[in-house]
Amino acid sequence: MGLFGLFTRKRDTYQEVDVDAKPSMPTVQVSRNHKDAYERIFFQQISEIKEISAKEAKEIFAIIKNEHGRFVDLTYLDVVFERYFRGRRWHWPEYEQWNATFASLGKYPSRWPLMESSSDVTMYDVFGRMKVGELKEFLATHDVPVPDKTRRDGLERLIANMPRLKDTDLWQAKAKERLQYCADTRGKAVCHAFFRHIIDQAKTEFETERRRSLGIQKETLRFVYPEDEKFSSIALKRNPNARPPFYPTDLTMLSPGIPRLDD
């Protein structure tokens, strides 16, 4: 996360309103300098994803700029994922470098996304939404005796103790469905983190310039999750001049020290 807050904060922080904003939709107020920073960082960052062509990058930017309330309105995230990332093998070098760092530590930041979803199928995946009658029917189909008045938890225990449960047609169908889902949605959380990271970097650039113009020099690091401070320390050790976001999904904030009028 970049400067000033979580993505769930209200979008009333910004001051200027685009004159071409659609009147029927809530406007997102973003200064021109902020938008310029976003555009510059957007094209720099997306050029790092080699699987996205320059033409596609321009199309994505047009979607964000013209169709979905500007870049601080995150309604475009699913749209862009579905059109340009779903079912596609792609790589984000910055994410992969940090992922390797965190993997070597055996620890990850609080909000760190994974490129690959688990394809493991659980009892709940297969039977969790079944009614009691359907569970009894499944057991009867596989010749498992069911004592009278057996409640749901008892039925689930009977199913879990079935030999070769994972070889049943129902389990195999759910496993196949799960594998397809994982293939289709591979990297969705990472894709969302990528576009949010661009927003955070643009905020940093914009706020840095704004604070310099105001003569603000003193800043304090603040951590939403104290346990993530160690990851920021790694980034600062690599580059003492680094500013948040130190890594994708970083929530570290820089709070300005406002000079006193009598100083």
Side-chain angles (χ1 to χ4, degrees):
M1 184 77 184
L3 304 174
F4 296 122
L6 305 175
F7 286 106
T8 54
R9 290 184 64 179
K10 295 181 180 179
R11 298 192 297 274
D12 56 3
T13 305
Y14 309 99
Q15 300 303 315
E16 297 180 21
V17 181
D18 286 340
V19 295
D20 59 343
K22 298 178 181 179
S24 60
M25 297 293 289
T27 56
V28 178
Q29 302 173 341
V30 184
S31 74
R32 173 59 61 186
N33 290 341
H34 196 170
K35 289 188 290 186
D36 290 344
Y38 177 84
E39 180 173 356
R40 180 168 55 258
I41 292 170
F42 172 90
F43 283 107
Q44 183 274 318
Q45 284 288 311
I46 206 164
S47 69
E48 299 296 318
I49 300 181
K50 302 305 181 184
E51 295 81 6
I52 299 295
S53 68
K55 177 178 179 294
E56 289 173 322
K58 291 178 181 178
E59 292 172 357
I60 293 170
F61 185 76
I63 289 172
I64 295 170
K65 180 179 179 182
N66 300 323
E67 297 182 21
H68 287 271
R70 311 305 187 191
F71 63 87
V72 292
D73 184 336
L74 300 179
T75 56
Y76 60 83
L77 289 176
D78 284 340
V79 174
V80 170
F81 175 77
E82 291 293 330
R83 294 187 190 178
Y84 297 95
F85 290 85
R86 184 181 179 93
R88 193 173 194 171
R89 303 294 296 187
W90 58 281
H91 302 274
W92 177 14
E94 183 177 0
Y95 166 85
E96 292 177 355
Q97 290 164 9
W98 278 109
N99 193 59
T101 296
F102 300 144
S104 68
L105 295 173
K107 297 178 181 179
Y108 294 84
S110 303
R111 300 168 67 246
W112 191 251
L114 296 177
M115 181 67 79
E116 306 287 350
S117 301
S118 173
S119 60
D120 293 339
V121 177
T122 66
M123 279 285 292
Y124 181 81
D125 293 331
V126 183
F127 304 102
R129 294 178 177 83
M130 280 190 177
K131 298 178 180 179
V132 169
E134 292 172 326
L135 296 176
K136 290 181 177 179
E137 183 178 348
F138 176 81
L139 288 164
T141 300
H142 292 85
D143 300 320
V144 177
V146 178
D148 293 339
K149 299 182 179 180
T150 302
R151 302 171 66 89
R152 182 182 188 89
D153 57 349
L155 296 172
E156 290 176 346
R157 283 195 296 272
L158 288 171
I159 292 173
N161 291 328
M162 285 176 54
R164 304 180 65 84
L165 172 62
K166 295 183 179 180
D167 292 335
T168 61
D169 291 343
L170 181 60
W171 192 285
Q172 287 295 310
K174 182 59 68 173
K176 183 177 180 180
E177 179 183 308
R178 178 66 183 173
L179 283 172
Q180 186 61 53
Y181 171 81
C182 290
D184 289 344
T185 61
R186 174 188 178 273
K188 184 174 183 178
V190 177
C191 178
H192 285 199
F194 171 75
F195 287 101
R196 286 171 167 154
H197 193 50
I198 295 172
I199 294 173
D200 292 341
Q201 290 179 311
K203 284 183 180 179
T204 291
E205 182 173 311
F206 171 71
E207 290 294 342
T208 298
E209 293 301 319
R210 187 178 69 86
R211 291 177 185 182
R212 285 175 181 168
S213 70
L214 294 172
I216 297 173
Q217 298 180 352
K218 183 179 179 180
E219 296 172 314
T220 303
L221 288 177
R222 298 188 182 278
F223 302 92
V224 175
Y225 299 107
E227 61 270 24
D228 286 351
E229 182 175 355
K230 56 182 172 292
F231 304 118
S232 297
S233 298
I234 294 171
L236 287 168
K237 185 176 181 179
R238 293 177 177 178
N239 177 11
N241 296 318
R243 296 173 67 80
F246 293 122
Y247 51 84
T249 73
D250 180 26
L251 292 176
T252 305
M253 296 177 285
L254 273 175
S255 296
I258 307 300
R260 292 173 53 184
L261 295 177
D262 56 354
D263 284 349

